[in-house]
Amino acid sequence: MKQLTRRSLLGGAVAAGTIAPLALRPTAQAAAPAAGKQMPGVYRFKIGEFEITSFNDGFTKVPKLENYVVNTPLEEIQKALEAGFIPKDDLRIPFNPLLVNTGKNLVLFDTGFGDNGSPTQGALLANLAAAGIDPKSIDTVIISHFHPDHISGLRAKAGVANFPSAEIMVPAGEWAYWTDAGESSRAPAMWNPTFANVKRVFDPIAKDVKQFEFGKELVPGITAVDARGHSPGHAAFVIASGNAKLMHIVDVTNHPVLFARNPEWRLWADMIPDQALATRRKLLDMAAADRLPITAYHFPFPAVGYIAKLGNGYDFVPASWQSVF
């Protein structure tokens, strides 16, 4: 038997590539232009009796790595990306809202950009339609925090509510911070657009917004978890059905190749850095020790998997495909 080597394998690939067009050439050739557009970003799985659907709202491409990870030399960031098989000049950060059907409640966690973002963002409504879900059927929207990629999709650019039947639930600490004129005046200038966006989104419905505290069950089976640090009132969530649990860590960790493997690295948008690090380690340690499945807002879609210890950091292990039929 001929021994298979890298040389013979690559040589065979070249030979096959040379012969195939002659031997297998079809009698008719129709032009088939590339679609140029992603298929719907929708993935369903089960946690106990709950049906969970992960949606993709699009992505943003990081323009400057050194401005994204703000306490690490560029060369180290590039090495981390190379180790994760990610082009150092093409890091894309996805946005992944989550929908939970408990059988009694249809609950959406965060809303993406709607039509307020860039051309690579705002896919949630189209993906809901592809999944057969009418936005009017969503009865609860739970917001994790008030950064634009999480709340902008609550309201279209023209002012119309995208989820008109839903009760809107937000962390009390987040509401207190972003609606405080004093906090707005003291905050770094880069957060001025976020304060303005909070007013745009919430002012028309302020009296109807329901604020929640950490540790409280928001709807049966869904409990808010203290995850402050990324923002002043940032919340994570435990979703439980029977003996099965899922932890939705939202923005506790941004892209896992960077911030799970290197938890001390600081994301530019971590508003309270030391607290963000403490929260990151606490929740990732919990997920790893208890072998809890997790979802996260900025992990590669569908962003469902597990956390494993890896040296001084953590590794994200994607879950096996668990299609719902």
Side-chain angles (χ1 to χ4, degrees), residues 133-310:
I133 296 169
D134 184 343
K136 296 184 182 69
S137 69
I138 294 172
D139 56 63
T140 308
V141 172
I142 298 176
I143 298 296
S144 63
H145 64 297
F146 287 6
H147 289 174
D149 51 321
H150 295 261
I151 67 168
S152 294
L154 270 174
R155 189 170 304 284
K157 191 181 296 184
V160 178
N162 285 327
F163 307 98
S165 306
E167 178 179 49
I168 312 300
M169 306 182 73
V170 306
E174 198 75 352
W175 183 270
Y177 177 82
W178 292 103
T179 58
D180 186 321
E183 296 290 1
S184 176
S185 67
R186 291 187 292 271
M190 69 175 182
W191 293 111
N192 289 346
T194 302
F195 280 98
N197 191 53
V198 168
K199 286 183 65 64
R200 179 192 74 86
V201 169
F202 288 116
D203 274 7
I205 56 171
K207 64 181 178 59
D208 298 318
V209 172
K210 183 175 181 180
Q211 299 177 44
F212 62 79
E213 303 289 345
F214 301 128
K216 301 295 184 181
E217 190 173 56
L218 309 184
V219 301
I222 297 175
T223 302
V225 175
D226 184 351
R228 289 172 294 172
H230 177 65
S231 74
H234 182 270
F237 306 92
V238 171
I239 300 162
S241 172
N243 293 324
K245 290 183 179 179
L246 171 74
M247 184 185 291
H248 183 31
I249 66 172
V250 199
D251 283 16
V252 164
T253 299
N254 196 268
H255 198 294
V257 165
L258 297 179
F259 298 99
R261 293 184 180 181
N262 306 280
E264 286 83 10
W265 288 9
R266 180 187 165 193
L267 175 71
W268 72 271
D270 282 344
M271 299 178 70
I272 312 172
D274 289 345
Q275 189 176 35
L277 169 59
T279 294
R280 187 174 303 133
R281 283 205 172 277
K282 177 181 178 180
L283 293 191
L284 295 187
D285 278 342
M286 183 188 305
D290 295 345
R291 299 178 67 85
L292 280 175
I294 69 154
T295 56
Y297 199 72
H298 296 296
F299 282 25
F301 185 78
V304 184
Y306 298 86
I307 294 295
K309 288 287 291 181
L310 182 67

Side-chain angles (χ1 to χ4, degrees), residues 39-123:
M39 296 292 286
V42 178
Y43 173 61
R44 283 200 172 110
F45 60 104
K46 296 292 288 291
I47 292 293
E49 295 302 313
F50 290 180
E51 182 180 83
I52 317 290
T53 309
S54 181
F55 290 94
N56 181 249
D57 188 59
F59 69 91
T60 191
K61 184 175 176 179
V62 175
K64 288 189 176 182
L65 294 173
E66 61 270 34
N67 293 341
Y68 201 70
V69 186
V70 297
N71 65 342
T72 303
L74 177 60
E75 294 76 14
E76 289 189 35
I77 306 169
Q78 291 173 330
K79 286 179 182 178
L81 293 179
E82 183 179 19
F85 295 92
I86 297 172
K88 63 184 180 182
D89 60 348
D90 194 17
L91 174 61
R92 301 183 180 197
I93 307 299
F95 310 98
N96 302 312
L98 194 72
L99 186 75
V100 177
N101 188 339
T102 71
K104 294 181 179 179
N105 297 95
L106 197 57
V107 182
L108 178 66
F109 290 91
D110 295 324
T111 64
F113 286 95
D115 62 353
N116 302 278
S118 76
T120 66
Q121 300 159 357

